[in-house]
Amino acid sequence: MIAVFIVFIILLFLGLPVAFSIGISGSLYFFQHPEIPVMQVAQLTLSQIQSVSLLAVPLFIFAGNLMNLCGITERLLGLASIVTRHMYGGMAQTSVVLSTLMGGISGSSTADAAMESRILGPAMIKNGYSRGYTAVVIGYTSLITSTIPPGVNLIVYGTTGSVSVGRMFMAGLMSGIYMMLALMICVHITSKKRGYRPPDAKRPSLREIAREVKTSFCALVFPVLLLAGIRTGIFTASEVGAFACIYALVVGIVVYREVTWEKMLDCLRMSIMDVGGIMFMISLTGVFGYGIPVEKIPQKLTGLMLSMTDSSTLILIMILALLFLLGMLMDGGVIVLLLTPMLLPVAKAIGLDPVFFGLLMCTVCCLGILTPPVGVAMYIVCGNLKVPMPVWIKESIPFLITVVLVLGTLIAFPQLVTFLPNMVYG
């Protein structure tokens, strides 16, 4: 397996697409072991995606694109703007709140960063915010979106590690709220220091908030229906994805009446491209991961870490540091797919709750989209707002520290994350 990992890293550095890097390096294991039929490669590729639970991934991606199509984003932006207009850095605070609200819609940090950098970014710059600060705020607040259910990585981790997706969603909800509060404090401090005063010193009245809530009601109620449907047993994780698609269509066609045939075709085209790329990678991880249990990699990794220290906290910190470094080199979703079978047994061996560990893993892996050299969201935001890389890195420091402090707090007090899943599911 060592040769497999080395070839994988080399192919990545050579610029080969991630999916092909996974498939080619994984196939090497079968050539190293001639006793294993090569036909296994084709069989594993197909069997890896023959899972009912994985249906949730394409369904939620399609539902998220549909909800963006039907005008929900603009209505959520209006609500976020009203709620934050009296705060220091009001438009930056709008980004934090909007990313939180969008978490219940799209579940994709990259999509949220791309959307806000086009809609909110130019408006912030026009109102006096520096380009670097604007880019970093939009980039780092997008981390909330992938944590709030239905985050795609939460579904992938739950499916790959045989962990309850419903529990992952409940834990993600709590983590997203903590992240939102911490980033709002960070924005308040940095905006006050820079002199980004509130757009309107007058606090919004209850009537104004109620009016915006009424306008955005269909979007706000969706995460509640999603979690309630899973918890009560009305839907499985896959079935609730189908419900999300139908709900989005009804909202777009009947309520807001903004869906046209042209928009629907664009939505289908975008969803097919997104789903095709993700499912192709998932299918090839079956080939890559075949040798992991055969070579007893989880047991060896557990033994190695336990020989270094018997502190579960130190082992967890080492794992998260490794994930952060890997996140700088490859997509977070790929890391979750490839390393969950190896690292989850280690987490269980040192007594960590699988839900708690999965939440930390997904958050740290997602952080890689904001760090060089392969930070996808970072490049999208910097490209859209024309921000040089040195400026991005300098402006990122207080926000990166904030995210690390949130993670440190969760590590010190895991009950902050696990109490809601345990209370709901027992």
Side-chain angles (χ1 to χ4, degrees), residues 211-414:
R211 184 179 65 247
E212 293 296 333
V213 167
K214 182 180 178 181
T215 304
S216 309
F217 180 77
C218 292
L220 297 174
V221 77
F222 171 67
V224 178
L225 295 175
L226 182 152
L227 294 173
I230 293 178
R231 176 61 190 97
T232 56
I234 299 174
F235 304 116
T236 64
S238 302
E239 291 167 346
V240 81
F243 164 74
C245 294
I246 296 171
Y247 181 85
L249 281 172
V250 171
V251 170
I253 296 172
V254 178
V255 181
Y256 294 149
R257 300 182 181 181
E258 294 191 15
V259 177
T260 63
W261 282 112
E262 291 77 12
K263 288 183 177 180
M264 180 59 73
L265 288 174
D266 287 340
C267 179
L268 286 170
R269 190 180 299 111
M270 189 184 308
S271 299
I272 289 170
M273 291 176 64
D274 292 342
V275 171
I278 291 173
M279 298 308 290
F280 186 44
M281 280 196 296
I282 291 176
S283 67
L284 290 174
T285 56
V287 179
F288 188 94
Y290 178 82
I292 292 175
V294 175
E295 300 289 337
K296 297 183 179 180
I297 300 296
Q299 293 89 331
K300 293 176 181 177
L301 193 59
T302 303
L304 174 64
M305 290 194 169
L306 289 176
S307 67
M308 297 170 66
T309 176
D310 58 357
S311 169
S312 59
T313 302
L314 286 177
I315 293 176
L316 177 57
I317 292 172
M318 285 192 293
I319 292 174
L320 295 181
L322 172 65
L323 292 174
F324 178 72
L325 292 174
L326 290 174
M328 297 173 69
L329 301 174
M330 66 182 84
D331 181 75
V334 176
I335 300 173
V336 173
L337 280 168
L338 296 181
L339 296 190
T340 296
M342 285 190 286
L343 296 179
L344 184 55
V346 177
K348 290 179 178 179
I350 59 176
L352 293 178
D353 186 305
V355 173
F356 170 67
F357 175 74
L359 185 69
L360 292 178
M361 181 177 185
C362 291
T363 303
V364 173
C365 290
C366 189
L367 192 58
I369 66 172
L370 300 170
T371 55
V374 293
V376 180
M378 174 189 68
Y379 288 123
I380 290 174
V381 174
C382 288
N384 288 342
L385 299 178
K386 297 178 175 58
V387 176
M389 190 60 57
V391 175
W392 167 275
I393 294 173
K394 180 182 177 182
E395 296 280 8
S396 296
I397 294 173
F399 291 87
L400 180 59
I401 292 173
T402 300
V403 173
V404 171
L405 288 175
V406 171
L407 292 172
T409 303
L410 296 182
I411 292 171
F413 305 101

Side-chain angles (χ1 to χ4, degrees), residues 29-100:
Y29 183 82
F30 295 87
F31 290 103
Q32 291 178 309
H33 297 80
E35 69 276 8
I36 304 175
V38 181
M39 277 296 294
Q40 281 278 70
V41 175
Q43 293 171 355
L44 289 167
T45 303
L46 293 174
S47 63
Q48 184 70 6
I49 55 175
Q50 290 177 344
S51 167
V52 175
S53 300
L54 280 177
L55 277 174
V57 175
L59 289 172
F60 275 120
I61 289 172
F62 182 46
N65 288 333
L66 279 173
M67 290 190 179
N68 286 334
L69 166 77
C70 69
I72 284 179
T73 300
E74 288 78 6
R75 289 166 174 82
L76 291 178
L77 178 58
L79 173 61
S81 300
I82 286 291
V83 171
T84 60
R85 73 183 186 190
H86 65 288
M87 302 178 182
Y88 273 94
M91 296 193 73
Q93 298 285 15
T94 298
S95 177
V96 182
V97 176
L98 181 59
S99 293
T100 306

Side-chain angles (χ1 to χ4, degrees), residues 168-249:
M168 290 301 301
F169 280 178
M170 292 296 177
L173 180 62
M174 296 309 303
S175 178
I177 291 172
Y178 300 142
M179 190 81 74
M180 179 195 74
L181 294 174
L183 288 173
M184 288 186 79
I185 293 172
C186 180
V187 167
H188 174 82
I189 294 171
T190 53
S191 294
K192 193 171 184 180
K193 185 177 179 180
R194 291 167 174 262
Y196 298 149
R197 302 189 65 82
D200 189 342
K202 182 182 177 183
R203 290 178 176 271
S205 65
L206 291 177
R207 178 175 295 182
E208 289 176 306
I209 295 176
R211 184 179 65 247
E212 293 296 333
V213 167
K214 182 180 178 181
T215 304
S216 309
F217 180 77
C218 292
L220 297 174
V221 77
F222 171 67
V224 178
L225 295 175
L226 182 152
L227 294 173
I230 293 178
R231 176 61 190 97
T232 56
I234 299 174
F235 304 116
T236 64
S238 302
E239 291 167 346
V240 81
F243 164 74
C245 294
I246 296 171
Y247 181 85
L249 281 172

